Amino acid sequence: SAVISQKPSRDICQRGTSLTIQCQVDSQVTMMFWYRQQPGQSLTLIATANQGSEATYESGFVIDKFPISRPNLTFSTLTVSNMSPEDSSIYLCSVDTLRGGRVGDTQYFGPGTRLTVL
Amino acid sequence: GESVGLHLPTLSVQEGDNSIINCAYSNSASDYFIWYKQESGKGPQFIIDIRSNMDKRQGQRVTVLLNKTVKHLSLQIAATQPGDSAVYFCAETYSGAGSYQLTFGKGTKLSVIP
């Protein structure tokens, strides 16, 4: 298993500003993911962050809006840039521990960062 | 009973009864499925998984059934307890080359009536 922490747990931000969310894992993991969960809805993958390479973004998400860093095997950041009220969501960090030797076998999630943009 | 709320379908069950939560997945090529439980203010928590070469898998108080013919997944919770109240998501993934993301279903909110 993996224990994941996120900072901040919640924030209220003004339109046009940026917020950087931190994700810390208690063990070294190869694959980290960032998800968005809009109020009352399911999870949508934003990007995959692998150490040593640029993040891979899903359709509808771009690096300029959601820059990601992955400096080592236990840490990642997601920045929500130039925020608007539509960015109000829960942002979740996830890791894959490759328990079964195949990606997707076991994904663990952090507690999430609840972002409100005014 | 089951009803469609503003965002999430809701299932209300009496404490001690069995709960059945259903999920229709989209990709016929998906070969691995996971059920997650998300309590208020927390991230999703792994409950149980199943591979496409299985039809049924049991855990502690939970059973997952997979029907590949109709692309349907269900989660059965035996003797439902108040602590089971949460939103439940199914997720699917395909182990093909270069594919590793989880695709989440819409979720079902389970409310347990004491």
Coordinates of all heavy atoms in Angstrom, one line a residue, chain B residues 33-89:
Chain B
F33 N -10.9 -4.3 -13.6 CA -12.0 -3.5 -13.0 C -11.8 -3.3 -11.5 O -11.4 -4.3 -10.9 CB -13.4 -4.0 -13.3 CG -13.6 -4.3 -14.8 CD1 -13.2 -5.5 -15.3 CD2 -14.2 -3.4 -15.6 CE1 -13.4 -5.8 -16.7 CE2 -14.4 -3.6 -17.0 CZ -14.0 -4.9 -17.5
I34 N -12.1 -2.1 -11.0 CA -11.9 -1.9 -9.6 C -13.1 -1.1 -9.1 O -13.7 -0.3 -9.8 CB -10.6 -1.0 -9.4 CG1 -9.4 -1.5 -10.1 CG2 -10.4 -0.8 -7.9 CD1 -8.2 -0.6 -10.0
W35 N -13.5 -1.5 -7.9 CA -14.5 -0.7 -7.1 C -13.8 0.1 -6.1 O -12.9 -0.4 -5.3 CB -15.5 -1.6 -6.5 CG -16.6 -2.1 -7.4 CD1 -16.7 -3.3 -8.0 CD2 -17.7 -1.4 -7.8 NE1 -17.8 -3.4 -8.8 CE2 -18.5 -2.2 -8.7 CE3 -18.2 -0.1 -7.5 CZ2 -19.7 -1.8 -9.3 CZ3 -19.4 0.3 -8.1 CH2 -20.1 -0.5 -9.0
Y36 N -14.2 1.4 -6.0 CA -13.7 2.3 -5.0 C -14.8 2.9 -4.1 O -15.9 3.0 -4.6 CB -13.0 3.5 -5.6 CG -11.6 3.2 -6.2 CD1 -11.5 2.9 -7.6 CD2 -10.5 3.3 -5.4 CE1 -10.2 2.7 -8.1 CE2 -9.2 3.0 -6.0 CZ -9.1 2.7 -7.3 OH -7.9 2.5 -7.8
K37 N -14.5 3.1 -2.9 CA -15.4 3.8 -2.0 C -14.9 5.1 -1.6 O -13.7 5.3 -1.3 CB -15.5 2.9 -0.7 CG -16.3 3.5 0.4 CD -16.2 2.6 1.7 CE -17.0 3.2 2.8 NZ -16.9 2.4 4.1
Q38 N -15.7 6.2 -1.7 CA -15.3 7.5 -1.4 C -16.2 8.1 -0.3 O -17.4 8.4 -0.6 CB -15.2 8.4 -2.6 CG -14.6 9.8 -2.3 CD -14.5 10.7 -3.5 OE1 -15.2 10.5 -4.5 NE2 -13.5 11.6 -3.5
E39 N -15.6 8.3 0.8 CA -16.4 8.9 1.9 C -16.2 10.4 1.8 O -15.3 10.9 1.2 CB -15.9 8.4 3.3 CG -16.1 6.9 3.5 CD -15.5 6.4 4.7 OE1 -14.2 6.2 4.7 OE2 -16.2 6.1 5.7
S40 N -17.1 11.1 2.4 CA -17.1 12.6 2.3 C -15.8 13.2 2.8 O -15.3 12.8 3.9 CB -18.3 13.1 3.2 OG -18.3 14.5 3.1
G41 N -15.2 14.0 2.0 CA -14.0 14.7 2.3 C -12.7 13.8 2.2 O -11.6 14.3 2.6
K42 N -12.8 12.7 1.6 CA -11.7 11.8 1.4 C -11.5 11.4 0.0 O -12.4 11.5 -0.8 CB -11.9 10.5 2.3 CG -12.0 10.8 3.8 CD -12.1 9.5 4.6 CE -12.1 9.8 6.1 NZ -12.2 8.5 6.9
G43 N -10.3 10.8 -0.3 CA -10.1 10.3 -1.6 C -10.7 8.9 -1.8 O -11.0 8.3 -0.8
P44 N -10.8 8.4 -3.0 CA -11.3 7.1 -3.2 C -10.5 6.0 -2.5 O -9.2 6.1 -2.5 CB -11.3 6.9 -4.7 CG -11.4 8.3 -5.2 CD -10.6 9.1 -4.2
Q45 N -11.1 5.0 -2.0 CA -10.4 3.9 -1.3 C -10.7 2.6 -2.0 O -11.8 2.3 -2.3 CB -10.9 3.8 0.2 CG -10.3 2.7 1.0 CD -10.9 2.6 2.4 OE1 -11.8 3.3 2.7 NE2 -10.3 1.7 3.2
F46 N -9.7 1.9 -2.3 CA -9.8 0.6 -3.0 C -10.6 -0.4 -2.2 O -10.4 -0.5 -1.0 CB -8.4 0.0 -3.2 CG -8.3 -1.4 -3.8 CD1 -8.3 -1.6 -5.2 CD2 -8.4 -2.5 -3.0 CE1 -8.2 -2.8 -5.7 CE2 -8.3 -3.8 -3.5 CZ -8.3 -3.9 -4.9
I47 N -11.6 -1.0 -2.8 CA -12.4 -2.0 -2.2 C -12.1 -3.4 -2.7 O -11.7 -4.3 -1.9 CB -13.9 -1.8 -2.4 CG1 -14.3 -0.4 -1.9 CG2 -14.7 -2.9 -1.7 CD1 -15.8 -0.1 -2.3
I48 N -12.2 -3.6 -4.0 CA -12.0 -4.9 -4.5 C -11.8 -4.8 -6.0 O -12.3 -3.8 -6.6 CB -13.3 -5.9 -4.3 CG1 -13.0 -7.3 -4.6 CG2 -14.5 -5.3 -5.0 CD1 -14.0 -8.3 -4.1
D49 N -11.1 -5.7 -6.6 CA -10.9 -5.7 -8.1 C -11.2 -7.0 -8.7 O -11.4 -8.0 -8.0 CB -9.4 -5.3 -8.4 CG -8.4 -6.2 -7.7 OD1 -8.8 -7.2 -7.0 OD2 -7.2 -6.0 -7.9
I50 N -11.3 -7.0 -10.0 CA -11.5 -8.3 -10.7 C -11.0 -8.2 -12.1 O -11.0 -7.1 -12.8 CB -13.1 -8.6 -10.8 CG1 -13.3 -10.0 -11.4 CG2 -13.8 -7.5 -11.6 CD1 -14.8 -10.5 -11.2
R51 N -10.4 -9.2 -12.6 CA -9.9 -9.3 -14.0 C -10.9 -9.9 -14.9 O -11.8 -10.6 -14.5 CB -8.6 -10.1 -14.0 CG -7.5 -9.6 -13.2 CD -6.2 -10.4 -13.3 NE -5.2 -9.9 -12.4 CZ -4.4 -8.8 -12.6 NH1 -4.6 -8.1 -13.7 NH2 -3.5 -8.5 -11.7
S52 N -10.7 -9.6 -16.2 CA -11.8 -10.0 -17.1 C -11.9 -11.5 -17.3 O -12.8 -12.0 -17.9 CB -11.5 -9.3 -18.5 OG -10.2 -9.7 -19.0
N53 N -10.9 -12.3 -16.8 CA -11.0 -13.7 -17.0 C -11.8 -14.4 -15.8 O -11.8 -15.6 -15.7 CB -9.6 -14.3 -17.0 CG -8.7 -14.1 -15.8 OD1 -9.1 -13.3 -14.9 ND2 -7.6 -14.7 -15.7
M54 N -12.4 -13.5 -15.0 CA -13.2 -14.0 -13.9 C -14.6 -13.4 -14.0 O -14.8 -12.3 -14.6 CB -12.6 -13.6 -12.6 CG -11.1 -14.0 -12.3 SD -10.4 -13.3 -10.9 CE -11.4 -14.1 -9.6
D55 N -15.6 -14.1 -13.4 CA -16.9 -13.6 -13.4 C -17.3 -13.1 -12.0 O -18.2 -12.3 -11.9 CB -17.9 -14.8 -13.8 CG -17.7 -15.2 -15.2 OD1 -17.4 -14.4 -16.1 OD2 -17.8 -16.4 -15.5
K56 N -16.6 -13.6 -11.0 CA -17.0 -13.3 -9.7 C -15.8 -13.3 -8.8 O -14.9 -14.1 -9.0 CB -18.0 -14.4 -9.2 CG -18.5 -14.2 -7.7 CD -19.5 -15.3 -7.4 CE -20.0 -15.2 -6.0 NZ -20.9 -16.3 -5.7
R57 N -15.8 -12.4 -7.8 CA -14.7 -12.4 -6.8 C -15.2 -11.9 -5.5 O -16.0 -10.9 -5.5 CB -13.5 -11.5 -7.3 CG -12.3 -11.6 -6.4 CD -11.1 -11.1 -7.1 NE -9.9 -11.4 -6.3 CZ -9.0 -10.5 -6.0 NH1 -9.1 -9.2 -6.4 NH2 -8.0 -10.8 -5.2
Q58 N -14.8 -12.6 -4.5 CA -15.4 -12.2 -3.1 C -14.3 -11.7 -2.2 O -13.2 -12.2 -2.2 CB -16.0 -13.5 -2.5 CG -17.3 -13.9 -3.2 CD -18.0 -15.1 -2.5 OE1 -17.4 -16.2 -2.5 NE2 -19.2 -14.8 -1.9
G59 N -14.7 -10.7 -1.4 CA -13.9 -10.2 -0.4 C -14.6 -10.3 0.9 O -15.6 -11.1 1.1
Q60 N -14.2 -9.5 1.9 CA -14.9 -9.5 3.1 C -16.1 -8.7 3.0 O -16.1 -7.5 2.8 CB -14.0 -8.9 4.2 CG -14.5 -9.0 5.6 CD -13.6 -8.4 6.6 OE1 -12.6 -7.8 6.3 NE2 -13.8 -8.7 7.9
R61 N -17.3 -9.3 3.1 CA -18.6 -8.7 3.0 C -18.9 -8.1 1.6 O -20.0 -7.6 1.4 CB -18.8 -7.6 4.0 CG -19.3 -8.1 5.4 CD -20.0 -7.0 6.2 NE -19.3 -5.7 6.2 CZ -19.8 -4.6 5.7 NH1 -21.0 -4.6 5.2 NH2 -19.1 -3.5 5.8
V62 N -18.0 -8.2 0.7 CA -18.2 -7.6 -0.6 C -18.0 -8.7 -1.7 O -17.1 -9.6 -1.6 CB -17.3 -6.4 -0.9 CG1 -17.7 -5.2 0.0 CG2 -15.9 -6.7 -0.8
T63 N -18.8 -8.6 -2.8 CA -18.6 -9.5 -3.9 C -18.7 -8.7 -5.2 O -19.6 -7.8 -5.3 CB -19.7 -10.6 -3.9 OG1 -19.6 -11.3 -2.7 CG2 -19.6 -11.5 -5.1
V64 N -17.9 -8.9 -6.1 CA -18.0 -8.2 -7.4 C -18.3 -9.2 -8.5 O -17.8 -10.3 -8.5 CB -16.7 -7.4 -7.8 CG1 -15.5 -8.3 -7.7 CG2 -16.8 -6.8 -9.1
L65 N -19.3 -8.9 -9.3 CA -19.7 -9.7 -10.4 C -19.4 -9.0 -11.7 O -19.7 -7.8 -11.8 CB -21.2 -10.0 -10.3 CG -21.6 -10.8 -9.1 CD1 -23.2 -11.0 -9.1 CD2 -21.0 -12.2 -9.0
L66 N -18.9 -9.7 -12.7 CA -18.6 -9.1 -14.0 C -19.3 -9.9 -15.1 O -19.2 -11.1 -15.2 CB -17.1 -9.2 -14.2 CG -16.6 -8.8 -15.6 CD1 -16.9 -7.3 -15.8 CD2 -15.1 -9.0 -15.7
N67 N -20.1 -9.2 -15.9 CA -20.8 -9.7 -17.0 C -20.2 -9.0 -18.3 O -20.6 -7.9 -18.6 CB -22.3 -9.5 -16.9 CG -23.0 -10.2 -18.1 OD1 -22.5 -10.4 -19.2 ND2 -24.2 -10.7 -17.8
K68 N -19.3 -9.7 -18.9 CA -18.6 -9.1 -20.1 C -19.6 -9.0 -21.3 O -19.4 -8.1 -22.1 CB -17.4 -9.9 -20.4 CG -16.3 -9.8 -19.3 CD -15.1 -10.6 -19.7 CE -15.3 -12.1 -19.7 NZ -15.5 -12.6 -18.3
T69 N -20.5 -9.9 -21.3 CA -21.4 -9.9 -22.5 C -22.2 -8.6 -22.6 O -22.3 -8.0 -23.7 CB -22.4 -11.0 -22.4 OG1 -21.7 -12.3 -22.3 CG2 -23.3 -11.1 -23.6
V70 N -22.6 -8.1 -21.5 CA -23.4 -6.8 -21.5 C -22.6 -5.7 -20.9 O -23.2 -4.6 -20.6 CB -24.7 -7.0 -20.7 CG1 -25.6 -8.0 -21.5 CG2 -24.5 -7.5 -19.3
K71 N -21.3 -5.9 -20.6 CA -20.4 -4.9 -20.1 C -21.0 -4.3 -18.8 O -21.3 -3.1 -18.7 CB -20.2 -3.8 -21.1 CG -19.4 -4.3 -22.3 CD -18.9 -3.1 -23.2 CE -20.0 -2.5 -24.0 NZ -19.6 -1.5 -25.0
H72 N -21.2 -5.2 -17.9 CA -21.9 -4.8 -16.6 C -21.1 -5.3 -15.4 O -20.6 -6.4 -15.4 CB -23.3 -5.3 -16.6 CG -24.1 -4.9 -15.4 ND1 -24.1 -5.7 -14.2 CD2 -24.8 -3.8 -15.1 CE1 -24.9 -5.0 -13.3 NE2 -25.3 -3.9 -13.8
L73 N -21.0 -4.5 -14.4 CA -20.2 -4.8 -13.2 C -21.1 -4.5 -12.0 O -21.9 -3.5 -12.1 CB -19.0 -3.9 -13.2 CG -17.8 -4.2 -12.3 CD1 -17.1 -5.5 -12.8 CD2 -16.8 -3.0 -12.4
S74 N -21.1 -5.3 -11.0 CA -21.9 -5.0 -9.8 C -21.1 -5.3 -8.6 O -20.2 -6.1 -8.6 CB -23.2 -5.8 -9.8 OG -22.9 -7.2 -9.6
L75 N -21.4 -4.5 -7.6 CA -20.8 -4.7 -6.2 C -21.9 -5.0 -5.2 O -22.9 -4.3 -5.1 CB -20.1 -3.4 -5.8 CG -19.5 -3.4 -4.4 CD1 -18.3 -4.3 -4.4 CD2 -19.1 -2.0 -4.0
Q76 N -21.7 -6.1 -4.6 CA -22.7 -6.5 -3.6 C -22.1 -6.4 -2.2 O -21.0 -6.9 -2.0 CB -23.1 -8.0 -3.8 CG -23.8 -8.2 -5.2 CD -24.2 -9.6 -5.4 OE1 -24.0 -10.5 -4.6 NE2 -24.7 -9.9 -6.6
I77 N -22.8 -5.7 -1.3 CA -22.3 -5.5 0.0 C -23.3 -6.3 0.9 O -24.5 -6.0 0.9 CB -22.3 -4.1 0.4 CG1 -21.4 -3.3 -0.5 CG2 -21.7 -3.9 1.9 CD1 -21.4 -1.8 -0.3
A78 N -22.8 -7.2 1.7 CA -23.6 -8.0 2.6 C -23.8 -7.3 3.9 O -22.9 -6.7 4.4 CB -23.0 -9.4 2.8
A79 N -25.0 -7.4 4.5 CA -25.2 -6.9 5.8 C -24.7 -5.5 5.9 O -23.9 -5.1 6.7 CB -24.6 -7.8 6.9
T80 N -25.3 -4.6 5.1 CA -24.8 -3.2 5.0 C -24.9 -2.5 6.4 O -25.8 -2.6 7.1 CB -25.7 -2.5 4.0 OG1 -25.8 -3.2 2.8 CG2 -25.1 -1.1 3.7
Q81 N -23.8 -1.8 6.6 CA -23.7 -1.1 7.9 C -23.6 0.5 7.7 O -23.3 0.9 6.6 CB -22.4 -1.5 8.6 CG -22.2 -3.0 8.8 CD -20.9 -3.4 9.2 OE1 -19.9 -2.6 9.3 NE2 -20.7 -4.7 9.5
P82 N -23.9 1.2 8.7 CA -23.9 2.7 8.5 C -22.5 3.2 8.0 O -22.5 4.2 7.2 CB -24.1 3.2 9.9 CG -25.0 2.2 10.6 CD -24.5 0.9 10.0
G83 N -21.5 2.5 8.3 CA -20.1 2.9 7.9 C -19.9 2.7 6.4 O -18.9 3.1 5.8
D84 N -20.9 2.0 5.8 CA -20.8 1.7 4.3 C -21.4 2.9 3.5 O -21.2 3.0 2.3 CB -21.6 0.5 3.9 CG -21.0 -0.8 4.5 OD1 -19.7 -0.8 4.7 OD2 -21.8 -1.7 4.8
S85 N -22.0 3.9 4.2 CA -22.5 5.0 3.5 C -21.4 5.8 2.9 O -20.4 6.3 3.6 CB -23.3 5.9 4.5 OG -24.4 5.3 5.0
A86 N -21.5 6.0 1.6 CA -20.4 6.6 0.8 C -20.8 6.7 -0.6 O -21.9 6.2 -1.0 CB -19.1 5.8 1.0
V87 N -20.0 7.2 -1.5 CA -20.1 7.1 -2.9 C -19.2 6.0 -3.4 O -18.1 6.0 -3.1 CB -19.8 8.5 -3.6 CG1 -19.9 8.3 -5.1 CG2 -20.7 9.6 -3.1
Y88 N -19.8 5.2 -4.3 CA -19.1 4.0 -4.8 C -18.9 4.3 -6.3 O -19.8 4.5 -7.1 CB -19.8 2.7 -4.6 CG -19.8 2.4 -3.1 CD1 -20.7 3.0 -2.2 CD2 -18.9 1.5 -2.6 CE1 -20.7 2.6 -0.9 CE2 -18.9 1.1 -1.2 CZ -19.7 1.7 -0.4 OH -19.7 1.4 0.9
F89 N -17.6 4.1 -6.7 CA -17.2 4.2 -8.1 C -16.7 2.9 -8.7 O -15.9 2.3 -8.0 CB -16.2 5.3 -8.3 CG -16.6 6.7 -8.0 CD1 -16.3 7.3 -6.8 CD2 -17.3 7.5 -9.0 CE1 -16.7 8.6 -6.5 CE2 -17.7 8.8 -8.7 CZ -17.4 9.3 -7.4

